[in-house]
Coordinates of all heavy atoms in Angstrom, one line a residue:
M1 N 14.4 0.8 -6.3 CA 13.9 2.1 -5.8 C 13.8 1.9 -4.3 O 13.3 0.9 -3.7 CB 12.5 2.3 -6.4 CG 11.8 3.6 -5.9 SD 10.3 3.9 -6.7 CE 9.2 3.9 -5.3
V2 N 14.2 2.9 -3.6 CA 14.1 2.9 -2.1 C 12.9 3.7 -1.7 O 12.5 4.7 -2.2 CB 15.4 3.6 -1.5 CG1 15.3 3.7 0.0 CG2 16.6 2.9 -1.9
K3 N 12.2 3.0 -0.8 CA 11.0 3.6 -0.2 C 11.3 4.2 1.2 O 12.3 3.8 1.8 CB 9.8 2.6 0.0 CG 9.3 2.1 -1.3 CD 8.2 1.1 -1.2 CE 7.6 0.7 0.0 NZ 6.4 -0.3 -0.1
K4 N 10.5 5.2 1.6 CA 10.7 5.8 2.9 C 9.4 5.7 3.7 O 8.3 5.8 3.2 CB 11.1 7.3 2.7 CG 12.5 7.4 2.1 CD 13.0 8.8 2.2 CE 14.4 8.8 1.7 NZ 15.2 9.9 2.3
C5 N 9.6 5.6 5.0 CA 8.5 5.5 5.9 C 7.7 6.8 5.8 O 8.2 7.9 5.8 CB 9.0 5.3 7.4 SG 7.8 5.4 8.6
I6 N 6.4 6.6 5.8 CA 5.5 7.8 5.7 C 5.4 8.6 6.9 O 5.0 9.7 6.9 CB 4.1 7.4 5.2 CG1 3.4 6.5 6.2 CG2 4.1 6.8 3.8 CD1 2.0 6.1 6.0
Y7 N 5.9 8.0 8.1 CA 5.9 8.7 9.3 C 7.2 9.4 9.7 O 7.3 10.5 10.1 CB 5.5 7.8 10.5 CG 4.1 7.3 10.3 CD1 3.8 5.9 9.9 CD2 3.0 8.1 10.5 CE1 2.5 5.5 9.8 CE2 1.7 7.6 10.4 CZ 1.5 6.3 10.0 OH 0.2 5.9 9.9
C8 N 8.3 8.7 9.5 CA 9.6 9.2 10.0 C 10.7 9.4 8.8 O 11.8 9.8 9.1 CB 10.2 8.3 11.0 SG 10.8 6.7 10.5
N9 N 10.3 9.0 7.6 CA 11.2 9.1 6.5 C 12.4 8.1 6.5 O 13.3 8.3 5.7 CB 11.7 10.5 6.2 CG 10.6 11.3 5.6 OD1 9.7 10.8 4.9 ND2 10.5 12.6 6.0
K10 N 12.4 7.2 7.4 CA 13.5 6.2 7.5 C 13.4 5.3 6.2 O 12.3 5.0 5.8 CB 13.3 5.3 8.7 CG 14.4 4.2 8.9 CD 14.1 3.4 10.2 CE 15.0 2.2 10.2 NZ 14.7 1.4 11.4
E11 N 14.5 4.9 5.6 CA 14.5 4.0 4.5 C 13.9 2.7 4.8 O 14.3 2.1 5.9 CB 15.9 3.9 3.8 CG 16.3 5.2 3.1 CD 17.6 5.0 2.4 OE1 18.1 3.9 2.3 OE2 18.2 6.0 1.9
I12 N 13.1 2.1 3.9 CA 12.5 0.8 4.1 C 12.7 0.1 2.8 O 13.0 0.7 1.7 CB 11.1 0.8 4.5 CG1 10.2 1.6 3.5 CG2 10.9 1.3 5.9 CD1 8.7 1.6 3.9
S13 N 12.7 -1.2 2.8 CA 12.9 -2.1 1.6 C 11.9 -1.8 0.6 O 10.7 -1.6 0.8 CB 12.8 -3.5 2.0 OG 12.8 -4.3 0.9
S14 N 12.3 -1.7 -0.7 CA 11.4 -1.5 -1.8 C 10.5 -2.7 -2.0 O 9.4 -2.6 -2.6 CB 12.2 -1.2 -3.1 OG 13.0 -2.3 -3.4
E15 N 10.8 -3.8 -1.4 CA 10.0 -5.0 -1.5 C 8.9 -5.0 -0.4 O 8.0 -5.9 -0.4 CB 10.8 -6.3 -1.3 CG 12.0 -6.4 -2.3 CD 11.4 -6.6 -3.7 OE1 10.5 -7.3 -3.9 OE2 12.0 -5.9 -4.6
S16 N 8.9 -4.1 0.5 CA 7.9 -4.0 1.6 C 6.5 -3.8 1.1 O 6.3 -3.0 0.2 CB 8.3 -2.9 2.6 OG 7.4 -2.8 3.6
V17 N 5.6 -4.5 1.7 CA 4.2 -4.3 1.2 C 3.5 -3.2 2.0 O 2.4 -2.8 1.7 CB 3.4 -5.6 1.4 CG1 3.8 -6.7 0.5 CG2 3.4 -6.1 2.9
I18 N 4.2 -2.6 3.0 CA 3.7 -1.5 3.8 C 4.6 -0.3 3.5 O 5.7 -0.4 3.1 CB 3.6 -1.8 5.3 CG1 4.9 -2.3 5.8 CG2 2.5 -2.8 5.5 CD1 5.0 -2.6 7.3
D19 N 4.1 0.9 3.7 CA 4.8 2.1 3.5 C 5.3 2.8 4.8 O 5.4 4.0 4.9 CB 4.0 3.1 2.7 CG 3.7 2.7 1.3 OD1 4.6 1.9 0.8 OD2 2.7 3.0 0.7
F20 N 5.6 2.0 5.8 CA 6.1 2.5 7.1 C 7.0 1.5 7.7 O 6.9 0.3 7.4 CB 4.9 2.9 8.0 CG 3.8 1.9 8.0 CD1 3.8 0.8 8.9 CD2 2.7 2.1 7.2 CE1 2.8 -0.1 8.9 CE2 1.6 1.1 7.3 CZ 1.7 0.0 8.1
C21 N 7.9 2.0 8.5 CA 8.9 1.1 9.1 C 8.3 0.3 10.3 O 7.2 0.7 10.8 CB 10.1 1.9 9.6 SG 9.8 3.0 11.0
N22 N 8.9 -0.7 10.7 CA 8.4 -1.5 11.8 C 8.2 -0.7 13.1 O 7.2 -0.9 13.7 CB 9.4 -2.7 12.1 CG 9.4 -3.7 11.0 OD1 8.6 -3.6 10.0 ND2 10.2 -4.7 11.1
S23 N 9.1 0.1 13.5 CA 9.0 0.8 14.7 C 7.8 1.8 14.7 O 7.1 1.9 15.7 CB 10.3 1.5 15.1 OG 10.7 2.4 14.1
C24 N 7.6 2.5 13.6 CA 6.5 3.4 13.5 C 5.2 2.6 13.4 O 4.2 3.0 14.1 CB 6.6 4.3 12.2 SG 7.8 5.6 12.4
G25 N 5.2 1.5 12.7 CA 4.0 0.7 12.6 C 3.5 0.2 14.0 O 2.4 0.2 14.3
K26 N 4.5 -0.3 14.8 CA 4.2 -0.8 16.1 C 3.8 0.3 17.0 O 2.9 0.2 17.9 CB 5.4 -1.6 16.7 CG 5.6 -2.9 16.0 CD 6.8 -3.6 16.5 CE 7.1 -4.9 15.7 NZ 8.3 -5.6 16.0
G27 N 4.4 1.5 16.8 CA 4.0 2.7 17.6 C 2.6 3.2 17.3 O 1.9 3.6 18.2
V28 N 2.2 3.1 16.1 CA 0.9 3.6 15.7 C -0.2 2.6 16.1 O -1.2 2.9 16.7 CB 0.8 3.9 14.2 CG1 -0.6 4.2 13.7 CG2 1.8 5.0 13.9
W29 N 0.0 1.3 15.8 CA -1.1 0.3 15.9 C -0.9 -0.7 17.1 O -1.8 -1.4 17.4 CB -1.3 -0.5 14.6 CG -1.9 0.3 13.6 CD1 -3.2 0.8 13.5 CD2 -1.2 0.8 12.4 NE1 -3.3 1.5 12.4 CE2 -2.1 1.6 11.7 CE3 0.1 0.8 11.9 CZ2 -1.8 2.2 10.5 CZ3 0.4 1.4 10.8 CH2 -0.5 2.1 10.1
G30 N 0.3 -0.7 17.6 CA 0.6 -1.8 18.6 C 1.1 -3.0 17.9 O 0.9 -3.2 16.7
E31 N 1.9 -3.8 18.6 CA 2.6 -5.0 18.0 C 1.6 -6.0 17.4 O 1.8 -6.4 16.3 CB 3.5 -5.6 19.0 CG 4.4 -6.7 18.4 CD 5.5 -7.1 19.3 OE1 5.7 -6.6 20.4 OE2 6.2 -8.1 18.9
K32 N 0.5 -6.4 18.1 CA -0.4 -7.4 17.6 C -1.1 -6.9 16.3 O -1.1 -7.7 15.3 CB -1.4 -7.8 18.6 CG -0.9 -8.7 19.7 CD -2.1 -9.0 20.6 CE -1.6 -10.0 21.7 NZ -2.8 -10.4 22.6
M33 N -1.6 -5.7 16.3 CA -2.3 -5.2 15.1 C -1.3 -5.0 14.0 O -1.6 -5.3 12.8 CB -3.0 -3.9 15.5 CG -3.8 -3.3 14.3 SD -5.1 -4.5 13.6 CE -6.3 -4.3 14.9
F34 N -0.1 -4.5 14.3 CA 0.9 -4.3 13.3 C 1.2 -5.6 12.6 O 1.2 -5.7 11.4 CB 2.1 -3.7 13.8 CG 3.3 -3.6 12.9 CD1 3.3 -2.7 11.9 CD2 4.3 -4.6 13.0 CE1 4.4 -2.7 11.0 CE2 5.4 -4.5 12.1 CZ 5.4 -3.6 11.1
N35 N 1.5 -6.7 13.4 CA 1.8 -8.0 12.8 C 0.6 -8.5 12.0 O 0.9 -9.1 10.9 CB 2.1 -9.0 13.9 CG 3.4 -8.6 14.6 OD1 4.3 -8.0 14.0 ND2 3.6 -9.1 15.8
A36 N -0.6 -8.3 12.4 CA -1.8 -8.7 11.6 C -1.9 -7.9 10.3 O -2.1 -8.5 9.2 CB -3.1 -8.5 12.4
I37 N -1.6 -6.6 10.3 CA -1.6 -5.8 9.1 C -0.6 -6.3 8.1 O -0.8 -6.5 6.9 CB -1.4 -4.3 9.4 CG1 -2.6 -3.8 10.2 CG2 -1.1 -3.5 8.2 CD1 -2.4 -2.4 10.8
V38 N 0.7 -6.5 8.6 CA 1.7 -7.0 7.7 C 1.4 -8.4 7.1 O 1.6 -8.6 5.9 CB 3.1 -7.0 8.5 CG1 4.2 -7.7 7.7 CG2 3.5 -5.6 8.9
K39 N 0.9 -9.3 8.0 CA 0.6 -10.6 7.5 C -0.5 -10.5 6.4 O -0.4 -11.2 5.3 CB 0.1 -11.5 8.6 CG -0.2 -12.9 8.1 CD -0.6 -13.9 9.2 CE -0.9 -15.3 8.8 NZ -1.3 -15.5 7.4
N40 N -1.5 -9.8 6.6 CA -2.6 -9.7 5.7 C -2.2 -9.0 4.4 O -2.6 -9.4 3.3 CB -3.8 -8.9 6.3 CG -4.6 -9.7 7.3 OD1 -4.6 -10.9 7.2 ND2 -5.1 -9.1 8.3
M41 N -1.3 -8.0 4.5 CA -0.8 -7.4 3.3 C 0.1 -8.3 2.5 O 0.1 -8.3 1.3 CB 0.0 -6.1 3.7 CG -0.9 -5.0 4.2 SD -2.0 -4.3 3.0 CE -0.8 -3.4 2.0
E42 N 0.9 -9.1 3.2 CA 1.8 -10.0 2.5 C 1.0 -11.1 1.8 O 1.3 -11.5 0.7 CB 2.8 -10.6 3.5 CG 3.9 -9.6 3.9 CD 4.8 -10.1 5.0 OE1 4.5 -11.2 5.6 OE2 5.9 -9.5 5.1
D43 N -0.1 -11.6 2.5 CA -0.9 -12.6 1.9 C -1.6 -12.1 0.6 O -1.7 -12.7 -0.4 CB -2.0 -13.1 2.9 CG -1.4 -13.9 4.0 OD1 -0.2 -14.3 3.9 OD2 -2.1 -14.1 5.0
A44 N -2.1 -10.8 0.7 CA -2.8 -10.2 -0.4 C -1.8 -10.0 -1.6 O -2.1 -10.2 -2.7 CB -3.4 -8.8 0.0
N45 N -0.6 -9.7 -1.2 CA 0.5 -9.5 -2.3 C 0.8 -10.8 -2.9 O 0.9 -10.9 -4.2 CB 1.8 -8.9 -1.6 CG 2.8 -8.5 -2.7 OD1 2.4 -7.9 -3.7 ND2 4.0 -8.9 -2.5
D46 N 0.8 -11.9 -2.2 CA 1.1 -13.2 -2.7 C 0.0 -13.7 -3.7 O 0.2 -14.4 -4.7 CB 1.3 -14.3 -1.6 CG 2.6 -14.1 -0.8 OD1 3.5 -13.4 -1.3 OD2 2.6 -14.6 0.3
R47 N -1.3 -13.3 -3.3 CA -2.4 -13.6 -4.2 C -2.5 -12.7 -5.4 O -3.3 -12.9 -6.3 CB -3.7 -13.5 -3.4 CG -3.9 -14.5 -2.4 CD -5.4 -14.5 -1.8 NE -5.8 -13.1 -1.3 CZ -5.6 -12.6 -0.1 NH1 -5.0 -13.4 0.8 NH2 -6.0 -11.4 0.2
G48 N -1.7 -11.6 -5.4 CA -1.8 -10.7 -6.5 C -2.9 -9.7 -6.4 O -3.4 -9.1 -7.3
D49 N -3.4 -9.5 -5.1 CA -4.6 -8.6 -4.9 C -4.2 -7.1 -4.6 O -5.1 -6.3 -4.5 CB -5.4 -9.1 -3.7 CG -6.1 -10.4 -4.0 OD1 -6.3 -10.7 -5.2 OD2 -6.6 -11.0 -3.0
L50 N -2.9 -6.9 -4.5 CA -2.5 -5.5 -4.3 C -2.3 -4.8 -5.6 O -1.7 -5.3 -6.6 CB -1.2 -5.4 -3.5 CG -1.3 -6.0 -2.0 CD1 0.1 -5.7 -1.3 CD2 -2.4 -5.3 -1.3
C51 N -2.7 -3.5 -5.6 CA -2.5 -2.7 -6.8 C -1.4 -1.7 -6.5 O -1.5 -1.0 -5.5 CB -3.8 -2.0 -7.1 SG -3.7 -0.9 -8.5
S52 N -0.4 -1.6 -7.3 CA 0.7 -0.7 -7.1 C 0.7 0.4 -8.2 O 0.5 0.1 -9.3 CB 2.0 -1.4 -7.1 OG 3.1 -0.6 -7.0
T53 N 1.1 1.6 -7.8 CA 1.2 2.7 -8.8 C 2.3 2.4 -9.7 O 2.4 2.9 -10.8 CB 1.4 4.1 -8.2 OG1 2.5 4.0 -7.3 CG2 0.2 4.5 -7.4
N54 N 3.3 1.5 -9.3 CA 4.4 1.1 -10.2 C 3.9 0.2 -11.3 O 4.5 0.1 -12.4 CB 5.5 0.4 -9.4 CG 6.1 1.3 -8.4 OD1 6.2 2.5 -8.6 ND2 6.7 0.7 -7.4
T55 N 2.8 -0.5 -11.1 CA 2.3 -1.4 -12.1 C 1.2 -0.8 -13.0 O 0.8 -1.4 -14.0 CB 1.8 -2.7 -11.5 OG1 0.7 -2.4 -10.6 CG2 2.9 -3.5 -10.8
L56 N 0.6 0.3 -12.6 CA -0.4 1.0 -13.3 C 0.1 2.3 -13.9 O 0.7 3.1 -13.2 CB -1.6 1.3 -12.4 CG -2.4 0.1 -12.0 CD1 -3.5 0.6 -11.0 CD2 -3.1 -0.6 -13.1
G57 N -0.1 2.4 -15.2 CA 0.3 3.7 -15.8 C -0.8 4.7 -15.7 O -1.9 4.5 -15.2
K58 N -0.4 6.0 -16.0 CA -1.4 7.0 -15.9 C -2.6 6.8 -16.8 O -3.7 7.2 -16.4 CB -0.7 8.4 -16.4 CG 0.3 8.9 -15.4 CD 0.8 10.2 -15.8 CE 1.7 10.8 -14.8 NZ 2.3 12.1 -15.2
E59 N -2.4 6.1 -17.9 CA -3.6 5.8 -18.7 C -4.6 5.0 -18.0 O -5.8 5.1 -18.2 CB -3.2 5.2 -20.1 CG -2.5 3.8 -20.0 CD -1.0 3.9 -19.6 OE1 -0.4 5.0 -19.6 OE2 -0.5 2.8 -19.4
N60 N -4.2 4.1 -17.2 CA -5.1 3.2 -16.4 C -5.9 4.1 -15.4 O -7.1 3.9 -15.2 CB -4.4 2.1 -15.7 CG -3.9 1.0 -16.7 OD1 -4.4 0.9 -17.8 ND2 -2.9 0.3 -16.2
F61 N -5.2 5.0 -14.7 CA -5.9 5.9 -13.8 C -6.9 6.8 -14.5 O -8.0 6.9 -14.0 CB -4.9 6.7 -13.0 CG -4.1 5.9 -12.0 CD1 -2.7 5.8 -12.0 CD2 -4.8 5.4 -10.9 CE1 -2.0 5.1 -11.1 CE2 -4.1 4.7 -9.9 CZ -2.7 4.5 -10.0
S62 N -6.5 7.3 -15.6 CA -7.4 8.2 -16.3 C -8.6 7.5 -16.8 O -9.8 8.0 -16.8 CB -6.7 9.0 -17.4 OG -6.2 8.1 -18.4
S63 N -8.5 6.2 -17.3 CA -9.6 5.5 -17.7 C -10.5 5.1 -16.6 O -11.7 5.1 -16.7 CB -9.2 4.2 -18.5 OG -8.5 3.3 -17.7
Q64 N -9.9 4.8 -15.4 CA -10.8 4.5 -14.2 C -11.5 5.7 -13.8 O -12.7 5.6 -13.4 CB -9.9 4.0 -13.1 CG -9.3 2.7 -13.3 CD -8.3 2.3 -12.2 OE1 -8.0 3.1 -11.3 NE2 -7.8 1.1 -12.3
E65 N -10.9 6.9 -13.9 CA -11.6 8.1 -13.5 C -12.8 8.4 -14.5 O -13.8 8.8 -14.1 CB -10.7 9.3 -13.5 CG -9.7 9.3 -12.4 CD -10.4 9.4 -11.0 OE1 -11.4 10.2 -10.9 OE2 -10.0 8.6 -10.1
E66 N -12.6 8.1 -15.8 CA -13.6 8.3 -16.8 C -14.8 7.4 -16.5 O -15.9 7.7 -16.7 CB -13.1 8.1 -18.2 CG -12.1 9.2 -18.7 CD -12.8 10.6 -18.6 OE1 -14.0 10.7 -19.1 OE2 -12.1 11.5 -18.2
E67 N -14.5 6.1 -16.1 CA -15.5 5.2 -15.8 C -16.3 5.7 -14.6 O -17.6 5.6 -14.6 CB -14.9 3.8 -15.5 CG -14.4 3.0 -16.6 CD -13.9 1.7 -16.2 OE1 -14.4 1.1 -15.3 OE2 -12.9 1.3 -16.9
K68 N -15.7 6.2 -13.6 CA -16.4 6.7 -12.4 C -17.3 7.9 -12.8 O -18.4 8.0 -12.3 CB -15.4 7.2 -11.4 CG -14.7 6.1 -10.7 CD -13.7 6.6 -9.7 CE -12.8 5.5 -9.1 NZ -11.8 6.1 -8.2
K69 N -16.8 8.7 -13.7 CA -17.6 9.9 -14.1 C -18.9 9.5 -14.9 O -19.9 10.1 -14.9 CB -16.8 10.9 -15.0 CG -15.7 11.6 -14.2 CD -14.9 12.5 -15.1 CE -13.7 13.1 -14.3 NZ -12.9 13.9 -15.2
S70 N -18.7 8.4 -15.7 CA -19.8 7.9 -16.6 C -20.9 7.2 -15.8 O -22.0 7.0 -16.4 CB -19.3 7.1 -17.7 OG -18.8 5.9 -17.2
I71 N -20.7 6.8 -14.6 CA -21.7 6.0 -13.8 C -22.6 7.0 -13.2 O -22.3 7.9 -12.5 CB -21.0 5.2 -12.7 CG1 -20.1 4.1 -13.4 CG2 -22.1 4.5 -11.9 CD1 -19.3 3.3 -12.4
D72 N -23.9 6.9 -13.4 CA -25.0 7.7 -12.8 C -25.5 7.0 -11.6 O -25.9 5.8 -11.7 CB -26.1 8.0 -13.8 CG -25.6 8.8 -15.0 OD1 -24.7 9.7 -14.8 OD2 -26.2 8.6 -16.1
F73 N -25.6 7.8 -10.5 CA -26.2 7.2 -9.3 C -27.5 7.7 -9.1 O -28.0 8.8 -9.3 CB -25.3 7.5 -8.1 CG -24.0 6.8 -8.1 CD1 -22.8 7.3 -8.6 CD2 -23.9 5.5 -7.7 CE1 -21.7 6.6 -8.6 CE2 -22.7 4.8 -7.7 CZ -21.6 5.3 -8.2

């Protein structure tokens, strides 16, 4: 599956842990912050801490929504 940058719609790798291209990321956050974001996202991905809509089915989202509704604050 090919992903597209959320800012410019340029194609990016489906393996990318971010949803924007390098040039847009650096333009939005600057080079140092962009590099920190990418590194932290890649580290989180390696640890298995990222949740992807590709790995969760609709049933998981609906059960999470039901849990939120059942919690009284």
Side-chain angles (χ1 to χ4, degrees):
M1 180 175 121
V2 175
K3 293 182 2 177
K4 293 193 176 206
C5 174
I6 59 174
Y7 295 107
C8 71
N9 286 328
K10 179 181 172 183
E11 287 187 7
I12 55 177
S13 169
S14 62
E15 302 296 317
S16 177
V17 294
I18 54 176
D19 291 334
F20 40 87
C21 67
N22 290 354
S23 59
C24 287
K26 289 175 184 175
V28 171
W29 291 287
E31 189 166 353
K32 283 184 177 181
M33 181 59 77
F34 171 76
N35 290 337
I37 290 168
V38 171
K39 181 179 182 332
N40 287 330
M41 292 291 289
E42 288 174 344
D43 291 348
N45 190 46
D46 292 344
R47 289 189 309 270
D49 289 344
L50 294 184
C51 178
S52 171
T53 56
N54 293 337
T55 61
L56 290 176
K58 287 184 178 181
E59 63 279 352
N60 288 339
F61 285 116
S62 62
S63 65
Q64 290 174 356
E65 288 300 316
E66 291 300 318
E67 284 180 37
K68 288 179 187 175
K69 290 178 188 175
S70 67
I71 298 174
D72 293 327
F73 289 97

